[in-house]
Amino acid sequence: MSEDVNGRYLGPLLLGSLDYVWSRIRQRLDGLTEEEYLWEPAPGCWSVRPGPGDGWQIDRPAPEPSPPPVTTIAWRLWHIASECLADYTSKGLGPWPLEVRDLEWYPAPGLAIKALDEAWLTFRAGEAELGEDGLWQPLGPEWDEFADDPWAAMILHAQDEMSHHGAEIALLRDLYGVRR
C-alpha cells in the first residue's frame, strides 16, 4: 500500500468523503412522490418522457444548448445514476450495473431510486476494490483525454457531480414544498 511521507493513506479519506455525500443525497430522496419527481419548475424543463415503444427516456438533445434548461428531479437522478455512476463503473470498475442504458429512464421515483442505489453500490464497491495503490493507477484508454488521470481524480470528480446534482435535487424538493 502506498502511503504519504507521514504514513497516511488517501483512500479512506476520499471514500469516506464520498460516502458522506452519498448519505446526504440518499436522505433527501426519502418520501419522493411521483408528482415531485416529474415537477417542472420552469417552462422548457428537461425531464423523462414516454419514448419509442413502451419505454421512457430523458430529454437530451444534441447538441446541448448553452445554457442548458432547468431539469427535473427525474432527469437529475438519471444523470447521477446512469450518466455518472454507471458509466464510471463500466469504464474500468465492472460491468454496466443498470437495466437501462443511454437515454432510457424510469417514469416513477421507486424504480429510479432503486437504480440509483444499484449504481452507487457497484461504483462504491469498484472504488474500494482499487485499494490505495489502485487509486494512483491511470484511468485508461476508455477515458479518452482523461486516460492518464488517476482513479483518485475520478473519485473527486464523482464527488463533485454527486454534490452538485444532489444539492440541486434538495433545492427542487424545497421549492416544490413551498410552491403556491
Side-chain angles (χ1 to χ4, degrees):
M1 225 184 248
S2 299
E3 57 187 69
D4 72 8
V5 295
N6 298 308
R8 295 176 293 211
Y9 297 98
L10 184 60
L13 181 66
L14 287 175
L15 295 178
S17 182
L18 197 62
D19 290 341
Y20 177 68
V21 169
W22 168 252
S23 73
R24 293 184 74 189
I25 292 171
R26 197 57 186 81
Q27 180 182 26
R28 286 304 307 250
L29 294 173
D30 289 345
L32 181 66
T33 67
E34 187 169 333
E35 184 178 315
E36 207 175 356
Y37 175 75
L38 295 172
W39 177 57
E40 297 188 21
C45 283
W46 282 353
S47 189
V48 60
R49 305 187 195 285
D54 293 332
W56 287 66
Q57 65 183 34
I58 60 99
D59 299 321
R60 188 67 180 264
E64 184 174 306
S66 181
V70 174
T71 59
T72 63
I73 291 173
W75 194 97
R76 293 172 199 279
L77 288 177
W78 164 81
H79 178 67
I80 295 170
S82 185
E83 196 170 40
C84 294
L85 299 176
D87 185 57
Y88 303 161
T89 297
S90 72
K91 290 181 176 177
L93 299 174
W96 183 267
L98 303 178
E99 293 179 22
V100 293
R101 288 187 171 272
D102 304 318
L103 301 180
E104 299 172 324
W105 197 240
Y106 300 102
L111 290 172
I113 292 170
K114 181 178 181 243
L116 177 68
D117 288 341
E118 290 168 2
W120 162 253
L121 290 171
T122 307
F123 174 76
R124 177 61 175 81
E127 290 289 352
E129 284 291 316
L130 289 172
E132 192 71 25
D133 290 337
L135 290 174
W136 302 107
Q137 296 302 310
L139 292 169
E142 290 185 4
W143 289 90
D144 300 323
E145 70 268 21
F146 304 106
D148 294 331
D149 290 356
W151 279 98
M154 169 44 51
I155 292 175
L156 292 173
H157 176 72
Q159 181 168 335
D160 176 62
E161 288 285 340
M162 292 168 57
S163 296
H164 175 91
H165 296 293
E168 291 172 331
I169 289 168
L171 177 61
L172 284 172
R173 293 206 71 190
D174 291 344
L175 291 172
Y176 181 84
V178 298
R179 76 195 184 293
R180 294 178 193 229

